[in-house]
Amino acid sequence: MPPAPGQNALPAAPSHPALRFASIGSPYFGIMLAVMAVVLILSNIGASKGVAIGPIITDGGFFLFPLAYILGDVISEVYGFKVARKAILTTFALSVFASLCYWAIIALPGFDDEFGTSKQAALEGALGPVPQIVLASLLAFLAGQTINSWILVRMKARTGEKSLWARIMGSSVAGEFVDTLIFCSIAAPVIGITDAATFVNYVLVGFVYKTLVEFILVPVTSLVIGWVKKREPSYGAPAAAVTNAA
């Protein structure tokens, strides 16, 4: 019933932009998932080595791990939270499998000559700490990536296709902080960090470095996202939006 003369009409309910996502039928998702898994597995190995660059304390996987988050941003933005969660869990499972393989390789009986024993010691030194590092990395990755993906998709629900840079940066800050804190808390003793000052240095350097890398690469991440969106024939289909958003 129309309002009486002189009365104001009720304000319209606020509308949010329709979410647009792609289905995972094309090869692009599989390629990104494979790269994300390889990056995480390699960074787990590299993280078993403590690295000191002047006053900066970090680990050997520092240059790899931000790439996993950038790929997570691309997957979340293009395919939605449900698909991103599948990618996170799949990467989690593959890293566990890799850790079990390291354990089996070390446990297998080797040659007992000088070369064999030195090789065994090298393997134990390089891959032996990896299960603890994997535990730290996987718990951190699971929590950080889930928060990162959830925030990015929630922000997209409010802004639609606009403000991509804000979604990437906002979700990265929250995700990287949770990830770095969990990882460093578990991994620090494994790589030889035992005092509080060095631990704080380790956490701050890791968080600031990873976040800065993501911020610096926002233009590249945005270009990749735009490139994938244009080549995903299902991007923006209503069925994909409904299936992948939650």
Side-chain angles (χ1 to χ4, degrees), residues 132-144:
Q132 294 94 317
I133 296 294
V134 166
L135 174 64
S137 179
L138 290 183
L139 292 177
F141 179 80
L142 190 62

Side-chain angles (χ1 to χ4, degrees), residues 41 45 97-111 116 119-128 130-131:
I41 290 169
I45 297 173
F97 175 71
S99 184
L100 292 174
C101 289
Y102 303 146
W103 175 82
I105 291 168
I106 291 172
L108 288 171
F111 298 146
K119 194 72 172 179
Q120 178 69 16
L123 281 171
E124 291 176 359
L127 300 181
V130 166

